[in-house]
Amino acid sequence: MKKIMIKISLAAGALAVMAGCQDNLWDEHYGLDGTVETRNLMQVLESMPEYSEFCSVVKRAGLDSVLATDQTFTVWAPDNEAMAGYTVNAETKSQFLENHISRYLYGGVDLADTSSVRVKMLNGKSQDYARENGNYTFAGVPVKAEEIPAGNGLVHGLSRIAPFYYNLYENICQEGNGTDSLAAFLTSFDEYTFNEEKSTAIGKNASGQIVYDSIFDFNNDWLRRYGHLHSEDSVYTMIVPSDEGWKKSRGRMAEYFRTFGETLKDTVKSLIIPDREYAVSTALSDSLSEAWMKQAICMDLVFRKDVDFSSVPGDSLASTSGNVFHHPSYLLAGAVEEPVSNGRIWKTDDLLHKPEESWLKTIVVEAENTSGRESNYAVISSRSSSATLFRDSVSEQRFIEVTATSENPRQQPIVQFTVPNTLAARYNVYCVFAPACAYMEGVEADSTKVNFYLNYVHEDGRMYEDEVIVGETPTNGSTMTKMFVTQIKLPYANYSESPFSGPETQDNDCVKLRVQANVARNETTKYTRTMRIDCLIFEPVIE
């Protein structure tokens, strides 16, 4: 796995503002005794034998010239005792030296009115400069009491080397970190686009083409949607599955994302009833199942801020996908904490998310939504319950009123709904009806009888309706009616919830529930053929 480090630079305007503030601090706090230190930071460091080992490493990395400029820096210098045993390596400049040098001045005066400030280092990382009971620390390391001024900055002595931490994205993508499976999924969204405007032309090649010192813009749609794990300016808590944890999750979830492939036949019979056939066990079906499953594994790993899972308001916590987890401390059982520069990682061999809180959720189809809704022999009107006593009983405070266009008992009103994002799972199916008084108080109560028809892709790849399901009872004319339709085990997923569209797709309307009035000619004095439908509910049965 390729190691990835992404540096985020501050905007020029922010730098200018910060520079002005820091110049004021310097003028106000570091020249009050009338003396002026003219030596630069490198000269000051070289004059102190206790920092000779640090100076040696600075010179080898070529940063001595930087510390000798008229730019302002604060250097957090480990003394020789702290440097004992340190070995220079390929990462010394970015992970050690630039992790101990910041632009602008940071001294005790910055902590006069606060206990901690975040310091942006040259490598883009942020470290805490803190004060507690009169003692100062940098990245948790004790800072020596004396502040050593230079003509272009300030030196703080450290008794230990400040720790370097990868950010969340870098940590996951490190070779040998045991998270290759997650890293492979996340980095599959990486995109680098050449930025000609920011790049510098440095000459031409043998073919006469311009050669650039190239700048590339980084983008990752998954990170943009679920959390900027690569940004040092963002803080997240993340549950990270090890390769073993990834493997276990795949084993647990695979059966739920089993699906079908290409359309082999697509016809419509009896007006609005689809009759289709799909290929099964094909490369397309396998690819879709794999993509959906990986997305489901990862969608609830990231939480905003540095979160204590054992103490959250209301004892519930939302991931960046918006899914809410109740009593969330169970998610970290057996997980091991790893430090990172922009938050906290909990690495685990077992992802413990409850399916019903994450990827196997109750599906509610609002009847008033026209998308995926079809009808016949019917006029459909949208009704509101907001001005009635049913305002809190009707889902979203709206339902539909389906009235007949014919008195012919063979042409009773029909409305058919598409049920999205179903998995290969067992569901209890309900249809919720509202009474007439839910939108107009004082009207005469009425009741209706209905039949249901469930249409889905069966094990052999054919999509057709099962036998009619007779509504268990008439609707109640005065109260809401949550009518049980059936319990169904869907053999295939028809999952269209993934926010990432790709070239491989399938029909996304392969589960339908048809509701039809079932009032005989001799029953019209007792029942109405008007149906008032609030919503459909597909409630997963956790097995």
Side-chain angles (χ1 to χ4, degrees):
M1 184 66 58
K2 180 176 69 176
K3 179 175 67 180
I4 295 178
M5 286 192 70
I6 301 167
K7 296 184 178 180
I8 309 297
S9 61
L10 291 171
L15 288 174
V17 172
M18 187 178 290
C21 295
Q22 291 289 331
D23 286 344
N24 291 338
L25 286 173
W26 177 261
D27 294 340
E28 192 170 340
H29 298 290
Y30 294 107
L32 295 180
D33 61 357
T35 63
V36 177
E37 175 58 75
T38 59
R39 294 176 299 170
N40 61 49
L41 282 162
M42 197 64 214
Q43 292 171 330
V44 168
L45 284 167
E46 288 182 307
S47 72
M48 296 182 288
E50 63 268 36
Y51 299 108
S52 61
E53 293 297 326
F54 180 74
C55 288
S56 175
V57 177
V58 170
K59 290 179 179 179
R60 288 183 61 176
L63 285 182
D64 53 328
S65 60
V66 175
L67 297 182
T69 66
D70 58 1
Q71 298 181 60
T72 303
F73 299 96
T74 299
V75 179
W76 315 80
D79 61 22
N80 289 346
E81 185 176 348
M83 293 291 294
Y86 180 79
T87 302
V88 174
N89 56 61
E91 309 297 343
T92 288
K93 182 178 178 181
S94 63
Q95 296 187 9
F96 172 60
L97 292 175
E98 292 182 345
N99 201 49
H100 286 77
I101 303 172
S102 63
R103 292 189 182 276
Y104 313 114
L105 297 172
Y106 291 93
V109 65
D110 295 286
L111 297 175
D113 300 317
T114 185
S115 61
S116 179
V117 294
R118 292 285 279 173
V119 179
K120 176 75 75 173
M121 312 310 295
L122 290 188
N123 61 4
K125 304 291 181 182
S126 293
Q127 302 282 19
D128 287 325
Y129 178 40
R131 171 180 54 83
E132 185 175 2
N133 298 325
N135 298 314
Y136 296 84
T137 60
F138 171 76
V141 175
V143 176
K144 295 183 179 182
E146 183 183 8
E147 296 179 349
I148 306 163
N152 63 337
L154 196 65
V155 175
H156 295 280
L158 300 180
S159 56
R160 295 199 310 271
I161 292 175
F164 171 86
Y165 297 122
Y166 292 110
N167 63 40
L168 285 154
Y169 200 50
E170 293 165 349
N171 181 289
I172 292 166
C173 297
Q174 286 301 301
E175 292 182 4
N177 204 25
T179 53
D180 287 353
S181 299
L182 175 60
F185 174 72
L186 296 182
T187 57
S188 70
F189 296 94
D190 285 357
E191 295 178 351
Y192 294 89
T193 306
F194 175 63
N195 189 323
E196 184 174 352
E197 185 178 333
K198 293 182 180 179
S199 300
T200 304
I202 57 176
K204 293 185 178 181
N205 61 19
S207 301
Q209 298 170 318
I210 298 176
V211 177
Y212 291 90
D213 181 6
S214 300
I215 299 296
F216 290 87
D217 294 327
F218 173 78
N219 182 60
N220 180 303
D221 283 344
W222 195 96
L223 298 181
R224 187 158 49 86
R225 184 178 183 88
Y226 292 108
H228 298 286
L229 309 181
H230 61 297
S231 172
E232 299 294 340
D233 297 320
S234 302
V235 176
Y236 300 96
T237 300
M238 185 172 183
I239 302 172
V240 173
S242 64
D243 291 333
E244 177 66 20
W246 184 273
K247 182 179 178 181
K248 287 180 181 178
S249 291
R250 286 175 55 90
R252 178 170 64 136
M253 297 167 64
E255 64 178 293
Y256 292 95
F257 290 91
R258 175 179 183 250
T259 194
F260 48 88
E262 297 83 354
T263 305
L264 301 178
K265 183 184 78 169
D266 187 359
T267 60
V268 177
K269 66 179 183 180
S270 242
L271 300 174
I272 61 174
I273 304 170
D275 181 20
R276 305 175 190 161
E277 185 174 351
Y278 295 94
V280 296
S281 300
T282 66
L284 174 59
S285 63
D286 291 345
S287 178
L288 289 171
S289 294
E290 184 78 3
W292 294 342
M293 180 170 55
K294 288 178 179 178
Q295 164 64 11
I297 290 173
C298 297
M299 66 189 296
D300 290 311
L301 299 180
V302 184
F303 300 82
R304 289 182 179 85
K305 301 183 179 180
D306 187 358
V307 182
D308 180 356
F309 279 52
S310 64
S311 178
V312 292
D315 209 13
S316 63
L317 181 66
S319 73
T320 54
S321 77
N323 286 333
V324 177
F325 297 86
H326 302 282
H327 313 293
S329 58
Y330 78 89
L331 293 169
L332 302 186
V336 177
E337 183 181 359
E338 289 190 5
V340 289
S341 63
N342 61 342
R344 192 185 302 261
I345 274 179
W346 290 96
K347 186 181 287 186
T348 181
D349 290 337
D350 293 285
L351 289 178
L352 301 176
H353 302 71
K354 295 176 181 177
E356 64 271 24
E357 291 186 325
S358 180
W359 46 270
L360 184 57
K361 302 187 73 174
T362 295
I363 301 167
V364 178
V365 179
E366 295 292 342
E368 65 271 16
N369 292 342
T370 58
S371 176
R373 191 184 76 195
E374 302 162 286
S375 63
N376 203 15
Y377 309 129
V379 174
I380 297 180
S381 304
S382 181
R383 302 302 189 192
S384 172
S385 66
S386 60
T388 73
L389 296 175
F390 290 84
R391 66 178 64 89
D392 296 326
S393 302
V394 174
S395 177
E396 304 293 333
Q397 295 189 350
R398 300 200 71 85
F399 61 94
I400 60 172
E401 187 172 66
V402 184
T403 56
T405 58
S406 171
E407 295 182 2
N408 187 337
R410 294 180 177 273
Q411 296 180 346
Q412 302 206 38
I414 299 170
V415 60
Q416 180 171 261
F417 302 92
T418 296
V419 183
N421 303 317
T422 52
L423 298 185
R426 189 177 301 279
Y427 291 93
N428 286 329
V429 181
Y430 301 90
C431 186
V432 181
F433 296 88
C437 55
Y439 78 94
M440 185 182 297
E441 293 179 344
V443 299
E444 184 179 352
D446 57 18
S447 178
T448 189
K449 295 166 63 179
V450 295
N451 285 340
F452 300 99
Y453 303 84
L454 190 59
N455 196 334
Y456 58 95
V457 180
H458 292 65
E459 186 65 40
D460 60 1
R462 292 176 55 223
M463 180 179 175
Y464 57 86
E465 283 188 342
D466 283 342
E467 293 295 321
V468 60
I469 303 167
V470 178
E472 57 183 5
T473 60
T475 60
N476 191 306
S478 302
T479 64
M480 301 293 292
T481 304
K482 182 179 180 181
M483 189 179 296
F484 177 74
V485 178
T486 188
Q487 184 179 102
I488 181 68
K489 173 65 170 72
L490 297 175
Y492 295 108
N494 190 210
Y495 186 73
S496 56
E497 191 172 74
S498 174
F500 307 110
S501 59
E504 298 178 331
T505 59
Q506 67 175 190
D507 292 339
N508 62 2
D509 60 344
C510 297
V511 177
K512 294 178 179 288
L513 184 66
R514 182 161 62 98
V515 187
Q516 184 169 20
N518 180 34
V519 178
R521 188 187 301 274
N522 61 359
E523 295 179 311
T524 54
T525 58
K526 185 176 181 181
Y527 300 108
T528 179
R529 288 177 179 158
T530 297
M531 302 181 292
R532 299 179 186 87
I533 304 174
D534 179 15
C535 63
L536 309 182
I537 301 173
F538 275 57
E539 187 177 90
V541 177
I542 305 302
E543 298 177 303

